[in-house]
Amino acid sequence: MRPGRFLPKVPPAAASLLWRALTRQPRLLVRLGAWSLAEAAPALAGGTAVAHAVDDGFAAGRPGTGLAWVAVPAVAWLLAAVAARQVMLAVAAVVEPFRDELLETVVTGALRAGHGDTAAVARMNHQVELARDAFAAIITVVRSFAFTLVGVALGIATLAPAVLPVVLPPVLAGLLLFLLSLPTLARRQRDVILADEATAEAVSAMAGGLRDITACGAESRAAERVGGEVVRQARAAGALAAVTAARTLTLAVGGGLPVLLLLAFTPWLLDRGLTGGVVLGALTYVMQSLTPALGGLIQGLGVSGVRLAVTLDRILGAAAPAPPRGDRTPDGVRLELRGVRFAYGPAAEPVIDDLDLVVAEGEHLAVVGPSGIGKSTLAALVTGVLTPGRGEVLLGGVPAAEVTPGARALIPQEAYVFHGSLTENLTYLAPDATPEEVDEAVALFGLAEPARRCGGRDAPLDPAALSAGERQLVALARTYLSPARLVVLDEATSHLDPAAEARAEAAFAARGGTLVVIAHRISSALRARRVLVMDGARVTAGTHDELVSASPLYADLVGHWEGGPPMGTLAAGAVAEDAEVAPGRRPQPTALGGDLDRLDA
């Protein structure tokens, strides 16, 4: 039976995830079952050993026989101790792949969302660890109860079959009552979690705005809002406590009632020929094996099961589903944007609205404009990282999101370099690159000195030992060696000096394919065949000479770059990139835009 049937309100995606984790390695389940059987040896042998120790040993005047029978449970416990270690290893082998798959889901969703909220990702990673631990606890307690129940049933059936109708019905009734209460328990647990988060959010908002609240005389309104959240949290906690109390009732029915019934039916059992040792052995089965196992199941499922259900629901709900990997090969790399509109949210103002643009194959396009105008959004759209809300982005006639990843590359400002050799970093996207090609890229992008410092191209490379500019050079050289024919540099040269930036852009221009550069310096625009100027709702494309006349913003940028009016004559509020800013103050935007403030004079 699928695990989702035992857990409260498990979403189909979560149930499928759990089922895959349990059935991924059938041999592992067989091994887990075998060691679980060995671990259940005390449950199988305990009551029988006590009955024979009393009847055949101590009560019969043969203490040696009694002690021999007492030794049987001791041997069984030694076997169980060895088995417990193997059970733990087998459970870990089941839950670790589950954790890895869940973590991959979280990271993929975060990357797809593209918001860079590292705090949210860290919280989700913590939730993954909680889910892993809860899943392991559930496997442990369910497996333990199942094998203990079977062991006890077999032991009682062998010792005294007449005891089974007295013991098993209340145990099963208590188990059924508990399983029926799980969905309600999960709902109440979810309500407590949400209420706690709402209270924390309200208190945080109030604390951050205390000065404004006091200035506006809104103390009573703020207190009412926070107080309302506290009251809702208290009610949710009270409702959870009421349902949690039901666990005590189920344990009383399933664990306490069998003992009472066994004691009550003792005269009847003795009349049917059972001995006092047999009754004592049956009590041993119930009190030392069955009742603790049932208590562990109720505690484990009541806490870990509910936690797993709630945690998985939150993780899978927060993680955006990973899109299918694009696998369509474009016919060339002609880039077309037709009526493209994109906004970060249904009610948000569009960052890009009704944009039409054609970038011919082999063209070199520079994109300039003020900071925050949408240049990085445009880069993400043309490489398929983002999907337009309206219109279409085509690369070689194929929607950008469906293009095979090897056909295009987007290099962001923060370059990624992993632990490994420089050669491994450079050939990550081009595993078939020859040593000669790698040497050419090293020379072309000025990586000879970093290679020498780390002991050669094939020596271990510590990314932390590289400067930000050197990491950008590694990312640029890696993309240069890749098969991508559309390359988008999203301020990927921001940490390079003007000469290194010029060499990098010239290398990509000579390489062939289509090159789009989100310009960090106006000199990048001068090197491009065509320039796209983004200026709010107005988007203008043309050559450098055309835009000097047609775009006041572009003319202003070029004028300052070529040594026009001094910085003091810029628009009010302008601040140079290297100017000192008082603590707590943010530099105001300039006429050049925050990403074009560094001008190579």
Side-chain angles (χ1 to χ4, degrees):
M1 186 177 292
R2 292 198 173 221
R5 297 286 298 275
F6 292 103
L7 297 174
K9 292 289 185 180
V10 177
S16 177
L17 191 67
L18 294 172
W19 184 247
R20 284 198 304 274
L22 289 175
T23 59
R24 184 178 283 112
Q25 302 182 60
R27 291 185 179 180
L28 184 60
L29 292 183
V30 173
R31 190 179 80 186
L32 178 61
W35 284 111
S36 297
L37 187 61
E39 191 185 27
L44 178 63
T48 299
V50 168
H52 285 289
V54 172
D55 292 338
D56 301 337
F58 300 113
R62 295 191 291 271
T65 302
L67 290 175
W69 276 107
V70 169
V72 171
V75 174
W77 277 111
L78 289 175
L79 176 62
V82 174
R85 179 180 182 277
Q86 299 300 323
V87 165
M88 184 178 298
L89 294 175
V91 170
V94 171
V95 301
E96 288 305 319
F98 163 77
R99 170 193 173 276
D100 293 343
E101 184 176 357
L102 197 57
L103 189 60
E104 182 180 357
T105 300
V106 169
V107 174
T108 301
L111 290 174
R112 184 60 181 173
H115 46 57
D117 187 353
T118 55
V121 175
R123 288 193 298 271
M124 284 296 102
N125 286 349
H126 178 63
Q127 295 288 322
V128 169
E129 298 300 326
L130 292 178
R132 187 269 306 273
D133 294 343
F135 188 34
I138 290 171
I139 294 176
T140 301
V141 298
V142 171
R143 172 204 55 81
S144 177
F145 176 76
F147 280 89
T148 299
L149 180 62
V150 172
V152 167
L154 289 175
I156 294 178
T158 303
L159 183 65
V163 176
L164 284 177
V166 177
V167 171
L168 287 186
V171 172
L172 297 178
L175 179 62
L176 179 62
L177 286 174
F178 171 67
L179 293 178
L180 290 175
S181 71
L182 273 181
T184 303
L185 186 63
R187 288 196 300 271
R188 301 289 170 81
Q189 183 71 53
R190 182 193 303 277
D191 292 343
V192 167
I193 292 175
L194 295 178
D196 178 68
E197 291 180 350
T199 300
E201 183 180 353
V203 171
S204 177
M206 180 188 67
L210 282 178
R211 296 177 63 181
D212 293 337
I213 292 172
T214 303
C216 298
E219 293 92 338
S220 59
R221 182 177 179 182
E224 181 180 354
R225 178 173 181 263
V226 175
E229 298 296 347
V230 172
V231 170
R232 277 188 285 273
Q233 183 180 0
R235 289 174 180 171
L240 175 63
V243 177
T244 304
R247 289 189 300 186
T248 305
L249 175 62
T250 59
L251 186 58
V253 173
L257 189 57
V259 176
L260 293 177
L261 291 177
L262 192 56
L263 293 175
F265 277 87
T266 295
W268 177 78
L269 294 173
L270 294 177
D271 290 341
R272 296 178 66 85
L274 273 67
T275 65
V278 170
V279 174
L280 185 59
L283 283 171
T284 301
Y285 275 124
V286 174
M287 297 182 67
Q288 290 192 356
S289 297
L290 196 56
T291 299
L294 180 62
L297 179 71
I298 291 175
Q299 177 68 18
L301 279 183
V303 176
S304 298
V306 171
R307 180 180 296 166
L308 179 64
V310 174
T311 302
L312 283 181
D313 188 28
R314 292 172 63 79
I315 290 174
L316 298 178
R325 183 182 176 92
D327 59 358
R328 296 180 61 182
T329 302
D331 182 14
V333 283
R334 173 186 169 90
L335 184 62
E336 297 179 72
L337 285 78
R338 301 174 180 173
V340 170
R341 183 183 192 274
F342 182 84
Y344 290 97
E349 288 292 324
V351 179
I352 295 175
D353 194 11
D354 200 25
L355 174 60
D356 294 304
L357 176 68
V358 176
V359 183
E361 183 167 356
E363 187 174 356
H364 178 181
L365 175 74
V367 181
V368 300
S371 179
I373 204 65
K375 301 187 299 298
S376 292
T377 300
L378 178 62
L381 286 168
V382 301
T383 52
V385 176
L386 295 177
T387 303
R390 188 177 66 202
E392 55 184 354
V393 180
L394 302 176
L395 180 63
V398 177
E402 301 176 16
V403 170
T404 180
R408 74 281 196 275
L410 169 63
I411 311 180
Q413 182 175 2
E414 296 301 324
Y416 174 67
V417 178
F418 55 85
H419 284 275
S421 68
L422 179 60
T423 298
E424 289 170 334
N425 269 277
L426 295 182
T427 59
Y428 177 71
L429 301 177
D432 297 328
T434 65
E436 293 75 16
E437 291 172 332
V438 176
D439 287 337
E440 178 190 0
V442 168
L444 199 57
F445 288 90
L447 289 169
E449 172 58 23
R452 185 195 62 77
R453 285 205 316 268
C454 69
R457 286 203 290 108
D458 298 320
L461 174 67
D462 181 9
L466 300 178
S467 68
E470 288 171 336
R471 288 195 294 271
Q472 286 188 332
L473 290 174
V474 171
L476 290 165
R478 176 194 299 146
T479 306
Y480 180 84
L481 290 171
S482 77
R485 308 311 296 165
L486 168 65
V487 174
V488 180
L489 307 183
D490 186 5
E491 298 190 19
T493 59
S494 58
H495 296 293
L496 302 182
D497 59 59
E501 178 185 67
R503 286 196 303 269
E505 291 181 10
F508 278 104
R511 172 180 178 267
T514 302
L515 176 64
V516 178
V517 178
I518 307 300
H520 180 73
R521 299 181 177 97
I522 199 65
S523 52
S524 293
L526 294 180
R527 285 189 289 267
R529 182 182 305 173
R530 198 154 58 106
V531 181
L532 179 71
V533 181
M534 301 183 69
D535 184 12
R538 182 183 179 187
V539 178
T540 309
T543 65
H544 166 74
D545 293 335
E546 292 170 344
L547 290 175
V548 167
S549 302
S551 172
L553 173 61
Y554 187 76
D556 191 42
L557 294 175
V558 174
H560 291 304
W561 176 72
E562 291 180 344
M567 293 297 292
T569 64
L570 295 179
V575 178
E577 184 187 56
D578 296 329
E580 294 185 359
V581 182
R585 296 285 303 277
R586 297 182 59 189
Q588 299 300 311
T590 74
L592 302 178
D595 55 355
L596 290 171
D597 288 342
R598 291 178 58 188
L599 306 178
D600 40 331

